[in-house]
Amino acid sequence: MRKIINYPQFYNQLSPNRVFSRQEAEQAFPKFDSRRLFEWKQKGYLIKLTNKWYVFSNVAITDGLNYLISNSICQPSYISLETALCFHQLILDCAPADSLGEKSIHAITKHKTVVYHNDRGVYSYRKIKPEFYFGFETLEIDGKAIHIANPEKALIDFLYFNANLNSLSKLTSIAWNIQALNQLDWKKLGSMQMSIGSKALDRRMDLLKKGLKLTDF
């Protein structure tokens, strides 16, 4: 027989997670009736992220929450591309954290390329070959462990996946933070670049260095 759990009990147990799965709810409350999730969503207590994942509606919308959602609803994955470039301040024209419904979080995954739309934003994932799934670290952001690309891999991923950045004019139209780029570990970046072994990536990297007159490489 399924056990009836009231919302205060449920919230007190799982709210520290902020984001939780149906499986986590069932583990916390054996014989939990998952129909309560639909009921509490209808009442506005929960926001459905995917068929399996939810977030408590009273959790403040921050970059940290968006990163946590991204890491959670597609596993394994790590924050990268434009999102990680903004986090590391390598580009300057970043969207505000509270652009509800418009905030896009970009990530890399071993699974299929997919985009999830929900009431907390847009969560985009690009599939990468398993052997290229490296160059990320785990940082504590808003009290949660977040998988995010290091600055060098964020740049590598961005140039690797953006085939349209094939000219100086397109690359230099981006609001790059030249000072931050010059502070990258270019030896580490070069090693990552060699590991990937993509001629297209090499061309874009060379164009970027030439166009921005980067010095530390």
Side-chain angles (χ1 to χ4, degrees), residues 41-76:
K41 175 183 174 294
Q42 292 299 100
K43 290 182 177 181
Y45 301 157
L46 305 175
I47 291 171
K48 187 176 182 179
L49 301 170
T50 69
N51 286 334
K52 297 180 180 179
W53 287 91
Y54 296 80
V55 62
F56 290 98
S57 58
N58 64 348
V59 178
I61 305 168
T62 63
D63 281 333
L65 177 65
N66 276 316
Y67 300 160
L68 179 62
I69 290 172
S70 177
N71 277 186
S72 298
I73 65 178
C74 180
Q75 299 180 26

Side-chain angles (χ1 to χ4, degrees), residues 78-82 84-85 88 90 107-109 126-137 148-161 184-186 188-196 201 205:
Y78 64 90
I79 305 298
S80 191
L81 305 160
E82 296 95 320
L85 291 176
H88 294 297
L90 294 174
I108 298 296
T109 182
R126 297 297 299 266
K127 179 182 179 180
I128 202 167
K129 293 179 180 179
E131 60 266 34
F132 300 159
Y133 191 84
F134 61 82
F136 60 94
E137 52 199 355
I148 187 165
N150 61 42
E152 292 77 16
K153 188 58 174 355
L155 180 59
I156 289 280
D157 287 341
F158 181 72
L159 295 180
Y160 179 77
F161 280 106
L184 292 176
D185 184 337
W186 285 90
K188 178 196 290 186
L189 193 150
S191 177
M192 291 179 177
Q193 193 175 330
M194 286 183 63
S195 295
I196 291 175
L201 170 62
M205 189 67 73

Side-chain angles (χ1 to χ4, degrees), residues 9 13 15-16 37-40 45 51 65 72 85 92 98 115 127 130 132 137 181 197 214 216:
Q9 285 178 289
Q13 180 72 22
S15 60
L37 298 176
F38 176 79
E39 174 189 325
W40 295 333
Y45 301 157
N51 286 334
L65 177 65
S72 298
L85 291 176
L92 302 173
D98 60 351
V115 179
K127 179 182 179 180
F132 300 159
E137 52 199 355
L181 286 172
L214 300 176
D216 290 350

